[in-house]
Amino acid sequence: MASVPSLASSLHQRLADALSAALPEAGAADPLLRRSDRADFQANGMLALAKKLKGNPRELATKVVEGLPAGDLIKDVEVSGPGFLNITITDEAIVRTLAARAADDRLGVPFAEHPGTTVIDYAQPNVAKEMHVGHLRNSVIGDAVVRILEFSGEKVVRRHHIGDWGTQFGMLIQYLIEHPHELDHEGEVSGEEAMSSLNRLYKASRTLFDSDEEFKARARRRVVDLQAGDEETLALWQRFVDESKIYFYSVFDKLDVEIRDEDIVGESGYNDMLAETCRLLEESGVAVRSNGALCVFFDDVKGPDGKPSPLIVQKSDGGFGYAATDLSAIRDRVGNLKADTLLYVVDARQSLHFKMVFETARRAGWLTEDVKAVQLGFGTVLGKDGKPFKTREGETVRLVDLLDEAIDRATAVVREKAQDLTEEQIAERGAQVGIGAVKYADLSTSVSRDYKFDLDQMVSLNGDTSVYLQYAFARIQSILRKAGEARPAAHPELALAPAERALGMHLDQFGELLAEVTASYEPHKLAGYLYQLASLYTTFYAECPVLKAETPEQVENRLFLCDLTARTLRQGMTLLGIRTPEQL
């Protein structure tokens, strides 16, 4: 089905036509329409236009009003002050537009006019290391952005740039050669068991590396073998990657974030390109040798001593820096994957690095005018004390512990409220509510801001939480179940109560809001819209009896508003990666 124009866009077109008719010499004119607390909308375009043409704005406004068709869309227009138009929409237009949305699986939300290909880099754990609270935001934000972009019709290529290369693998592989049964398992292994054996091996190899000079020398030679592509060494390296994936997938599964094998292209995936990347940069003069290292300099980037602070692509010992890998990834993503947008969901503290990488890629011609590169730099997860989140012992908090605690807290809330739910259902809902609470707290905060991780607040039924939204959805499902023979049906002929109008006008804005969120990569605006929707529904529920409305038609119309609210909540929450249980 074709997309459904919003009330705002229909009204905008009517006003623009009336403006052009009243002032043909102005050409195409913008009525500057916005929502208003004095009416449904206010149009301010007459002021700027009259000023430009040296006319009287109030006279122009009156002329525009005379040219507006009466009836189906506009109920009332008032010329206010120096030439504002305060416009009220008819109840009939609200219900007809919502009915058109309800008839469409996409709720009338259009696809993007010019979809392209976006490569998004997110969820970047490190092989043989535990995932901690710092891995929460890139995974949750990246997953939501993927969902939102795909819903708009964009082709999205996911990339998980895992840390799977580097000098520490020499130490790990050499230790495994000398202790060959350290990663052996009988039968299927859980994520926790996989991480436990990796942790044990890492600590043992690190202790030996620090205390035994001969082992240290063997480990360093093993790094050379790894980089040279020695078969035995690579096979053992692959064991570490595979073991880590068992663990990664168990954590991502708990977080309800889908990670696919083909989307994992770690640092190792660009090894074969590194030497060529450096050669191309040096031959083109984009990078120069400085004290043996291959560097790119920038006029506006200086260190604390005031001297230029370059991007180091290749170290003086011949080793490659992160920049070489990131630049090779850009070459691959633009050249092979044909991306016209590169998105990086990476900690804001790396913003200088990415600024220099993007600028280098532009100088080299790998990022052209047709390709935009954006870092979605996210803020830090803080404890209740406002400081970076740590355990009482000062350790980094394990992500899996955080998620387990959220699920436990949420399960307690569900059990307290549960009616007619089995233990199995309580456990399932507890996981959906707990993980939803963690995701929503993250996604309802602007990406670039820090936020406080407060589980008491996150699993509260009151305030701006996912539980509040999930509860609103479950409440609507309960009403629809109790409706018996009555079915949701739109009745445009009925007058709407103020709470019905407010809810209807907000429902109509869903498509425009999503277009804005898609363009700006700001999931928090979608979270804000959904919270406002649930709040408006709560007011509607309190003020407008649904099943005990005065007439059968009014019952149907209010059920229709309930149903469309539930579908909009579910679609919006799905785009944020949050489940909406039918019962709570």
Side-chain angles (χ1 to χ4, degrees):
M1 180 175 166
S3 63
V4 178
S6 68
L7 292 164
S9 63
S10 300
L11 180 58
H12 188 281
Q13 190 58 54
R14 295 268 179 100
L15 286 167
D17 292 346
L19 246 174
S20 297
L23 264 185
E25 65 272 28
D30 186 350
L32 298 178
L33 190 68
R34 61 181 181 82
R35 289 302 302 272
S36 168
D37 52 5
R38 300 190 173 205
D40 292 329
F41 295 97
Q42 188 175 78
N44 302 339
M46 280 51 68
L47 273 75
L49 205 55
K51 188 176 179 183
K52 182 179 164 189
L53 300 173
K54 298 186 170 50
N56 181 318
R58 202 172 164 87
E59 283 177 16
L60 173 58
T62 306
K63 233 174 155 183
V64 169
V65 171
E66 288 167 1
L68 285 170
D72 62 331
L73 179 64
I74 300 168
K75 179 183 180 183
D76 185 50
V77 187
E78 174 204 15
V79 179
S80 170
F84 300 128
L85 296 184
N86 290 327
I87 304 159
T88 304
I89 301 293
T90 65
D91 291 352
E92 180 186 351
I94 293 172
V95 178
R96 284 195 189 285
T97 300
L98 295 183
R101 293 198 178 289
D104 178 31
D105 288 343
R106 290 175 56 84
L107 303 173
V109 177
F111 286 103
E113 282 185 31
H114 304 291
T117 298
T118 294
V119 176
I120 178 168
D121 188 327
Y122 67 109
Q124 305 117 349
N126 293 309
V127 166
K129 290 186 181 174
E130 286 204 273
M131 290 177 68
H132 54 76
V133 67
H135 293 113
L136 176 65
R137 297 207 71 186
N138 57 6
S139 307
V140 170
I141 294 164
D143 182 55
V145 171
V146 166
R147 290 164 178 267
I148 290 164
L149 288 174
E150 287 187 332
F151 188 70
S152 78
E154 183 81 355
K155 180 187 176 185
V156 180
V157 182
R158 302 162 171 84
R159 277 292 173 266
H160 306 301
H161 192 92
I162 65 171
D164 65 352
W165 205 247
T167 53
Q168 79 272 20
F169 284 100
M171 175 182 84
L172 291 167
I173 293 166
Q174 189 59 37
Y175 188 86
L176 190 59
I177 287 172
E178 296 174 16
H179 304 80
H181 301 298
E182 282 293 312
L183 285 182
D184 291 353
H185 303 292
E186 287 184 20
E188 200 168 317
V189 62
S190 71
E192 279 288 290
E193 288 166 338
M195 193 64 244
S196 175
S197 59
L198 285 167
N199 259 341
R200 190 177 62 249
L201 198 149
Y202 186 88
K203 285 174 182 169
S205 64
R206 169 54 70 184
T207 302
L208 196 57
F209 187 86
D210 290 341
S211 62
D212 184 332
E213 287 300 319
E214 289 185 5
F215 176 77
K216 184 183 283 189
R218 292 196 298 276
R220 285 183 168 153
R221 283 198 298 275
R222 188 60 58 181
V223 176
V224 177
D225 293 340
L226 178 65
Q227 290 174 339
D230 173 67
E231 280 190 27
E232 182 200 9
T233 307
L234 277 176
L236 291 167
W237 167 81
Q238 190 64 50
R239 283 190 69 186
F240 282 101
V241 174
D242 292 343
E243 192 85 1
S244 297
K245 280 184 181 178
I246 295 170
Y247 164 69
F248 294 159
Y249 288 160
S250 72
V251 179
F252 286 123
D253 190 50
K254 187 166 284 192
L255 191 54
D256 202 10
V257 168
E258 185 196 25
I259 302 287
R260 302 179 307 205
D261 239 32
E262 64 266 28
D263 303 328
I264 294 180
V265 183
E267 293 170 16
S268 63
Y270 306 101
N271 275 343
D272 295 345
M273 299 175 71
L274 301 181
E276 188 184 23
T277 294
C278 291
R279 180 179 62 75
L280 291 169
L281 288 172
E282 191 168 11
E283 285 178 1
S284 63
V286 171
V288 293
R289 292 283 167 186
S290 176
N291 297 325
L294 187 63
C295 303
V296 183
F297 288 91
F298 306 86
D299 293 337
D300 58 342
V301 181
K302 293 187 170 56
D305 56 2
K307 292 180 180 175
S309 181
L311 181 71
I312 299 172
V313 185
Q314 189 176 23
K315 301 169 197 168
S316 54
D317 64 2
F320 299 105
Y322 287 124
T325 309
D326 288 332
L327 287 163
S328 298
I330 287 176
R331 288 176 55 211
D332 176 58
R333 292 165 185 184
V334 176
N336 297 329
L337 300 177
K338 307 301 179 196
D340 33 49
T341 302
L342 301 178
L343 279 185
Y344 292 80
V345 188
V346 183
D347 192 315
R349 288 171 292 192
Q350 293 190 44
S351 57
L352 178 60
H353 169 79
F354 278 99
K355 179 186 170 188
M356 297 198 302
V357 165
F358 295 160
E359 173 59 23
T360 299
R362 292 211 179 279
R363 290 181 190 177
W366 303 329
L367 272 182
T368 64
E369 285 182 6
D370 300 328
V371 184
K372 69 174 179 178
V374 180
Q375 183 199 355
L376 292 184
F378 55 82
T380 306
V381 181
L382 307 174
K384 284 187 189 180
D385 58 2
K387 295 175 182 171
F389 208 2
K390 302 275 185 190
T391 63
R392 285 179 186 162
E393 296 75 37
E395 301 283 316
T396 304
V397 179
R398 293 190 338 145
L399 181 53
V400 73
D401 291 342
L402 210 65
L403 300 181
D404 284 341
E405 190 180 349
I407 290 169
D408 289 346
R409 296 276 193 97
T411 303
V413 171
V414 172
R415 180 173 280 112
E416 190 184 316
K417 294 278 178 187
Q419 294 175 346
D420 311 323
L421 291 181
T422 65
E423 271 303 308
E424 190 181 343
Q425 288 172 321
I426 288 170
E428 182 192 16
R429 305 289 195 281
Q432 292 176 345
V433 171
I435 297 303
V438 170
K439 287 184 171 184
Y440 186 83
D442 193 317
L443 295 169
S444 58
T445 307
S446 171
V447 169
S448 59
R449 284 180 51 202
D450 300 342
Y451 80 96
K452 288 184 184 177
F453 196 94
D454 181 350
L455 274 176
D456 294 329
Q457 171 58 28
M458 287 179 189
V459 299
S460 169
L461 282 167
N462 303 311
D464 189 2
T465 66
S466 68
V467 193
Y468 178 67
L469 303 185
Q470 289 168 323
Y471 188 68
F473 177 83
R475 176 190 272 169
I476 296 171
Q477 298 311 309
S478 172
I479 292 170
L480 294 172
R481 283 193 296 272
K482 289 174 184 169
E485 296 294 308
R487 285 283 169 266
H491 285 276
E493 74 279 3
L494 295 179
L496 297 177
E500 291 176 295
R501 289 188 103 259
L503 180 61
M505 292 291 287
H506 192 69
L507 283 166
D508 182 54
Q509 291 172 42
F510 186 52
E512 289 178 346
L513 180 279
L514 274 184
E516 186 184 332
V517 169
T518 303
S520 62
Y521 314 118
E522 292 179 301
H524 74 277
K525 290 184 175 177
L526 174 56
Y529 170 88
L530 295 172
Y531 173 61
Q532 198 178 348
L533 178 60
S535 302
L536 288 167
Y537 179 78
T538 302
T539 304
F540 159 80
Y541 180 77
E543 295 180 8
C544 304
V546 178
L547 300 179
K548 293 184 178 176
E550 292 175 11
T551 66
E553 291 79 17
Q554 200 171 45
V555 171
E556 290 179 346
N557 202 54
R558 287 179 177 172
L559 282 171
F560 163 73
L561 286 173
C562 287
D563 187 49
L564 186 57
T565 299
R567 287 175 60 195
T568 306
L569 276 171
R570 169 166 273 175
Q571 182 62 75
M573 296 284 267
T574 299
L575 294 177
L576 294 178
I578 298 172
R579 305 274 178 181
T580 42
E582 301 271 329
Q583 276 177 286
L584 276 181

